[in-house]
Amino acid sequence: MKKFQTLLYYCYSPIADAELFAAEHLTFCKSLGLVGRIIVAEEGLNGTVSGTQKACEAYMAAIKADERFTKTDFKVDDVAEPSFIKMHCRYKSEIVHSGLRDPNVIDPNKETGKHLEPADFQKMIDQEDVVILDVRSNYEHNLGRFKNAVTLDIENFRDFPNKINELAKYKNKKVLTYCTGGIKCEKASALLLQHGFEDVYQLHGGIIKYGKEAGGKDFEGKCYVFDNRIAVDVNSVNPTIVSTCYSCGKVTPKMINCANPECNEHITQCDDCGDELLGCCSAPCMTNPRRRTYDGTGYYVKVPQPILAK
């Protein structure tokens, strides 16, 4: 029996004095013994936390008890060990970096795509007048994506607004957006509506919820997650692998971060190339004096750099 849980969640809800809230929330999370990463902004919360089942249940109860966050939808995974090493709770201008900060322009609480539960999303994806749109970054959809999905050449979600014109040819279609947990779709679908797309939907709870409630049917490959698991299985119905090794081209489901911390590129890499290149994406990265020791996972805990005396 797995003794720990990992919670993935977000909630768009105004937070007054969000910077103070972030500091107090960090103290609260530490008091429960949780580890993870939470972003707090005036627009809401975005987090992944991990700990014992008791601690996670206490955390979910506390969030739900706060009238600002009662609508929070938690995705819960049972895990063999905590998915983080430390607990971070940081204040930022947005809970997901999009560059769309003005609530008078984009506010998911006022306008967003129609939310589709996993079963309804599954029923729609094979319809002829439907376009499935992946709003995630390259390294995420390279690892796994829905069958026949339209993917965008973007390094970060903040690049999404610049791709709207490329999507104009789908304005007469039903556009079904999806991402890992749903948070990016809230703003992506709203932006599409503002640019004249009339029939816009989003997968409620994202890929993770779809895997849990609909068996992950027709999601090809694995899903990238932002913790030390790096990638998780989604499809238990008709699973397949679509990612290939960045170094040799061989089919592989494994994703790593380059061992050179000055590169830290997210790449899919087979075990043979990982061993040969010491977890690096290229030979030049192998020579970096700060190269991290590759343990086969490709996940590295961030270590603060020493402050040099002036």
Side-chain angles (χ1 to χ4, degrees), residues 123-284:
K123 291 175 183 176
M124 289 184 67
I125 57 178
D126 289 325
Q127 294 178 10
E128 290 186 4
D129 60 342
V130 161
V131 170
I132 308 166
L133 177 61
D134 192 319
V135 304
R136 301 173 302 154
S137 305
N138 289 333
Y139 64 89
E140 297 175 87
H141 61 66
N142 284 341
L143 181 65
R145 54 196 175 269
F146 276 101
K147 180 181 69 176
N148 300 324
V150 172
T151 58
L152 301 172
D153 182 14
I154 56 177
E155 294 300 319
N156 297 282
F157 182 57
R158 63 176 175 266
D159 299 326
F160 177 80
N162 297 327
K163 296 292 182 178
I164 292 293
N165 289 339
E166 293 182 18
L167 299 172
K169 58 188 174 183
Y170 303 122
K171 279 190 175 181
N172 295 325
K173 300 277 190 178
K174 294 176 182 176
V175 180
L176 276 57
T177 68
Y178 74 89
C179 59
T180 306
I183 187 171
K184 294 176 181 177
C185 290
E186 300 282 6
K187 289 189 174 181
S189 63
L191 191 63
L192 289 168
L193 288 168
Q194 289 193 4
H195 280 77
F197 291 77
E198 297 182 357
D199 218 355
V200 182
Y201 303 78
Q202 63 189 78
L203 174 56
H204 184 219
I207 299 164
I208 300 301
K209 186 174 182 179
Y210 182 83
K212 294 179 180 301
E213 297 186 7
K217 184 176 182 291
D218 291 331
F219 185 84
E220 301 176 332
K222 291 195 172 191
C223 180
Y224 182 89
V225 290
F226 299 85
D227 58 61
N228 63 6
R229 294 173 296 169
I230 302 180
V232 296
D233 291 321
V234 173
N235 192 333
S236 59
V237 179
N238 54 348
T240 186
I241 301 172
V242 294
S243 51
T244 57
C245 178
Y246 176 89
S247 306
C248 73
K250 184 168 66 176
V251 173
T252 179
K254 185 176 181 181
M255 173 163 271
I256 70 167
N257 287 344
C258 177
N260 173 9
E262 294 173 15
C263 172
N264 207 45
E265 185 76 21
H266 300 290
I267 61 169
T268 44
Q269 188 178 67
C270 68
D271 286 329
D272 290 341
C273 288
D275 292 338
E276 182 179 345
L277 293 171
L278 302 178
C280 293
C281 67
S282 63

Side-chain angles (χ1 to χ4, degrees), residues 87-104:
M87 185 69 232
H88 298 283
C89 185
R90 296 188 173 99
Y91 168 77
K92 294 189 177 182
S93 59
E94 294 180 275
I95 56 176
V96 60
H97 189 12
S98 67
L100 305 170
R101 302 177 186 176
D102 187 347
N104 295 317

